[in-house]
Amino acid sequence: MRGIYWFAAMSAVALVSSAAAAQDMSFPKGGDIPTKFSPVRDSFAYVKREVEIPMRDRVTLHTVILVPRGATRAPMMLDRTPYSADKLMTDKSGGPQIEDALFPSYAELAHGGYIMVAQDVRGKYKSKGDYVMNRPLVGPLNATKVDHSTDAYDTIEWLVKHVPESNGRVGTIGTSYDGFTTLMSLVNPHPALKAAVPINPMVDVWKGDDWFHNGAFRQEMMSYVYSQTAKTDSSEEWYSNRYDDYATFMHYGSAGALATAMGMDQLPFWRRVSQHPAYDVFWQGQAVDVILARAPLTVPTLFVDAQWDQEDIYGAPAAYAAVKSSPNAHFVMGPWYHGEANSEASSLGVLDYGNDTGKAFRSTVMIPFLDAHLKDGAPAVVTPAVTVYETGTNSWHNYAEWPRACDGCATPLKPLYLAGNASLSFSQPVAGTAYDEYVSDPAKPVTYRNRPNAEPYAKGSTWSKWLVDDQRFASARPDVLTYTSDVLTAPVHIAGQPVAHLVASTSGSDSDWVVKLIDVYPDQYPQKPEMGGYELAVSMDVLRGRYRDDPARPTPIPAGQPIAYKLVLPNANHVFLPGHRIMIQVQSSWFPLYDRNPQTYVPNIFFAKPADYVKATQRVFHAAGQASYVALPIVGD
């Protein structure tokens, strides 16, 4: 009997257990993901908050605030971005350490006690409202009541009232597009804005930043326009059936034809770009340097430039030049690519500086500058007006002004003349051949780097390094003129912008002129044998000939007539060392970075037809009375 009772009892327990198990296995209403989950982050070195900040037009902007744990009376650094605030504040794993959340320069600021704030600009990612590429200020080009200036003001107003750990002082910072929004915060700035650090900012996208350089269209940026404006979250990726962009652009012929094939006619910004090839009021009204020059600079600002910036090489120096009379203006130029100031920067391509120039800049210039203006009781710091890295000798220097030599400066530019026998001379030509010539063939354009030319943002692309590529590939072409100095017996130091003055003719009715200033290494270079004979580009740019007289009003080039052209090259602080030689190259295409000039004058090159592209005979003159030269900003140290 006892065994029967025991079996019955155990059966009852089993039935209860089975019922409980069945109940545990039932699916909860709504599934296994809770309506709201609050992760536990008590062990993290920071506290992260997401807020939606209302603007004056009631549009809310998604904002992420990262507060170092335990922070009190801390200053805030604001980065307004079109590239996702969430990603900016979760740079790596999003793990417990500050380095897990932020890239190097922002992690250093957070470790220094700064509250880091990132915000999606209106219309991008999680922010509401309409996205407009480089939204102009309220006025003729913007009929609304809001712009990046007002959004920065409203954001700062909210932050100083709603972040209890802050001391009420705010700095703005950002690179590239975010550098542009940083500059916009300086227009009618909020009283709590005490410092700004625009790094490689977009300033004038027609003269020398992202979309054009002196009228030549930077068609390699089409992929950026496509992904940035096709969808709010930039998830529509550019694609191509070819790995080599040279082949892609040659296949379609013109930038306009490729855009049509890619469906870019649906994109309002692309339509605006292609409808405004000249420097008309549309582009003039957006020139940030001109905007900044209208009022005194009241916020201490560190304008950060990169000598080999492959995207926005024009912006920082131009913005600084517009306001440099203000004691609040400071200029830095490092030996970097676009944005490299934010990360480890001990080298660029073949160049090795021997130490981390990015960290040196941040620890000795940027952070002391910000501390002095944003932290309670911070010691006063005298930030030099100019801090620039000297390539060639690989050393930092402080100066009272920049450029150190220029037309109108105490130290004038010094002409380096193109001469016969492919030579260069500091003496004016008095005799010899009148010109050198080559045939520019749009069917075989000069590349901007060795093929294959990968799309800039493709996986494995070395886009960031192309400005320091060895230029020997171009020297070997018959459609590139190359002029070389004798071997230098003393250093030649340039500190400013070289200016190319060409006297040239074309058999066509339009032409591009590309001028490169190059440092040629000795044939034997024991320190680094692979650098023997290396042709390092120091400063180079392009001019679309139709804009030679007036960027806003293009005109055909008179065929066969020698015409004077002036092309201002990017800033450089470089020493050509003894044993090296100076080289100048001249060519008429720089493809596929820039669209091909058909060399026949057409109203809009975006829509040139195949029959418009013709060969042209180009002549560069170097005779007495028709001298071509590059004026160098040579300084004697």
Side-chain angles (χ1 to χ4, degrees):
M1 294 293 292
R2 181 179 178 185
I4 293 174
Y5 292 138
W6 179 86
F7 178 79
M10 292 301 100
S11 298
V13 170
L15 289 171
V16 171
S17 298
S18 297
Q23 185 175 4
D24 289 343
M25 291 177 63
S26 64
F27 294 111
K29 185 179 180 180
D32 284 339
I33 298 177
T35 303
K36 182 179 180 180
F37 177 76
S38 299
V40 178
R41 298 286 187 262
D42 294 345
S43 64
F44 276 37
Y46 58 89
V47 176
K48 188 164 70 172
R49 305 176 192 137
E50 296 184 22
V51 296
E52 312 305 316
I53 299 181
M55 300 293 103
R56 63 190 62 187
D57 61 349
R58 300 186 180 181
V59 167
T60 58
L61 302 187
H62 179 68
T63 309
V64 182
I65 304 170
L66 189 148
V67 183
R69 191 169 294 279
T72 58
R73 296 292 301 170
M76 293 181 281
M77 292 301 299
L78 170 63
D79 184 329
R80 304 189 62 253
T81 182
Y83 305 126
S84 174
D86 289 339
K87 294 177 182 177
L88 192 63
M89 290 297 176
T90 313
D91 182 57
K92 297 179 182 175
S93 66
Q97 304 305 317
I98 286 174
E99 290 82 3
D100 297 325
L102 301 173
F103 58 85
S105 63
Y106 284 15
E108 289 165 6
L109 287 169
H111 274 298
Y114 286 85
I115 297 169
M116 304 305 296
V117 184
Q119 181 180 79
D120 291 332
V121 298
R122 59 173 60 226
K124 288 299 291 184
Y125 291 89
K126 294 181 180 179
S127 282
K128 306 301 182 183
D130 298 327
Y131 177 68
V132 176
M133 181 76 78
N134 298 109
R135 178 184 286 264
L137 292 176
V138 172
L141 299 177
N142 178 358
T144 74
K145 295 182 180 180
V146 294
D147 52 36
H148 287 297
S149 171
T150 65
D151 285 351
Y153 190 104
D154 295 349
T155 299
I156 294 171
E157 178 76 7
W158 189 95
L159 290 172
V160 297
K161 292 179 179 178
H162 294 88
V163 181
E165 298 91 344
S166 84
N167 64 359
R169 296 177 185 171
V170 180
T172 49
I173 191 170
T175 302
S176 194
Y177 196 116
D178 304 25
F180 159 73
T181 61
T182 299
L183 293 178
M184 288 292 95
S185 73
L186 302 175
V187 180
N188 302 316
H190 191 282
L193 179 61
K194 302 299 183 181
V197 184
I199 302 172
N200 308 143
M202 303 167 75
V203 169
D204 192 317
V205 292
W206 192 93
K207 284 188 175 180
D209 286 328
D210 286 279
W211 317 136
F212 298 84
H213 273 219
N214 302 301
F217 176 59
R218 288 169 61 87
Q219 61 185 6
E220 282 283 36
M221 300 306 293
M222 290 175 67
S223 61
Y224 172 87
V225 172
Y226 182 91
S227 62
Q228 186 70 4
T229 63
K231 289 187 177 179
T232 298
D233 62 357
S234 300
S235 61
E236 186 65 38
E237 295 185 2
W238 178 267
Y239 64 91
S240 174
N241 293 327
R242 299 165 182 84
Y243 176 73
D244 187 355
D245 265 4
Y246 180 101
T248 299
F249 283 102
M250 287 299 291
H251 175 77
Y252 288 100
S254 69
L258 174 57
T260 298
M262 293 294 292
M264 292 180 69
D265 294 338
Q266 304 169 68
L267 305 177
F269 178 67
W270 169 255
R271 295 199 298 269
R272 293 200 300 278
V273 170
S274 60
Q275 290 164 5
H276 294 275
Y279 194 58
D280 56 17
V281 293
F282 175 73
W283 298 117
Q284 293 174 27
Q286 299 181 59
V288 180
D289 52 340
V290 176
I291 291 169
L292 292 176
R294 293 174 185 163
L297 181 67
T298 58
V299 177
T301 303
L302 198 64
F303 297 89
V304 182
D305 184 33
Q307 184 163 312
W308 285 289
D309 186 334
Q310 77 281 6
E311 294 179 17
D312 295 309
I313 201 166
Y314 178 88
Y320 171 73
V323 297
K324 69 178 184 179
S325 61
S326 168
N328 287 316
H330 308 272
F331 179 67
V332 173
M333 183 169 68
W336 307 312
Y337 62 72
H338 187 74
E340 196 180 13
N342 292 300
S343 59
E344 199 279 336
S346 59
S347 64
L348 174 56
V350 297
L351 302 179
D352 187 345
Y353 308 126
N355 60 76
D356 187 346
T357 63
K359 190 172 184 63
F361 150 68
R362 298 190 301 271
S363 62
T364 64
V365 181
M366 187 181 84
I367 292 176
F369 166 81
L370 291 173
D371 287 352
H373 295 291
L374 294 170
K375 285 190 172 182
D376 295 344
V381 172
V382 178
T383 303
V386 176
T387 303
V388 291
Y389 192 84
E390 187 175 286
T391 55
T393 62
N394 295 346
S395 53
W396 286 101
H397 296 273
N398 298 328
Y399 299 112
E401 60 180 5
W402 186 266
R404 296 184 61 207
C406 67
D407 290 331
C409 292
T411 301
L413 301 179
K414 185 173 182 178
L416 179 61
Y417 293 95
L418 280 56
N421 300 316
S423 63
L424 294 172
S425 173
F426 285 108
S427 299
Q428 256 186 309
V430 293
T433 56
Y435 57 81
D436 295 309
E437 71 177 23
Y438 58 94
V439 175
S440 174
D441 185 356
K444 298 178 180 179
V446 182
T447 56
Y448 77 103
R449 66 188 316 190
N450 266 324
R451 293 180 66 183
N453 301 139
E455 189 271 318
Y457 307 107
K459 185 178 180 180
S461 169
T462 57
W463 163 250
S464 63
K465 302 175 183 178
W466 79 265
L467 278 172
V468 296
D469 283 356
D470 193 337
Q471 297 298 306
R472 278 180 286 199
F473 77 93
S475 297
R477 292 184 59 122
D479 50 359
V480 176
L481 297 180
T482 301
Y483 302 87
T484 311
S485 74
D486 293 335
V487 174
L488 299 176
T489 58
V492 176
H493 181 190
I494 63 170
Q497 290 184 276
V499 181
H501 294 266
L502 295 184
V503 178
S505 68
T506 177
S507 62
S509 51
D510 198 1
S511 178
D512 285 354
W513 301 102
V514 178
V515 179
K516 307 175 187 177
L517 175 64
I518 296 167
D519 184 344
V520 183
Y521 279 62
D523 292 334
Q524 296 292 323
Y525 197 69
Q527 305 95 305
K528 198 172 185 180
E530 63 271 27
M531 291 289 288
Y534 199 93
E535 296 178 5
L536 173 68
V538 174
S539 182
M540 49 187 179
D541 218 332
V542 58
L543 169 67
R544 183 140 286 173
R546 61 174 54 204
Y547 301 113
R548 67 201 178 277
D549 296 324
D550 187 344
R553 296 173 180 82
T555 55
I557 298 173
Q561 295 186 25
I563 301 292
Y565 297 92
K566 179 181 178 181
L567 171 57
V568 180
L569 302 179
N571 281 266
N573 187 43
H574 181 76
V575 178
F576 298 85
L577 295 172
H580 292 227
R581 292 175 292 161
I582 302 174
M583 175 181 286
I584 292 170
Q585 291 180 358
V586 181
Q587 60 199 55
S588 292
S589 50
W590 219 8
F591 186 80
L593 176 58
Y594 295 93
D595 61 339
R596 294 176 302 156
N597 192 317
Q599 302 180 154
T600 299
Y601 186 87
V602 295
N604 189 334
I605 291 177
F606 280 105
F607 306 107
K609 304 301 182 186
D612 297 326
Y613 293 86
V614 299
K615 294 181 182 180
T617 299
Q618 316 287 71
R619 291 178 174 176
V620 175
F621 291 79
H622 45 70
Q626 291 182 321
S628 297
Y629 62 95
V630 175
L632 298 179
I634 295 176
V635 294
D637 295 331

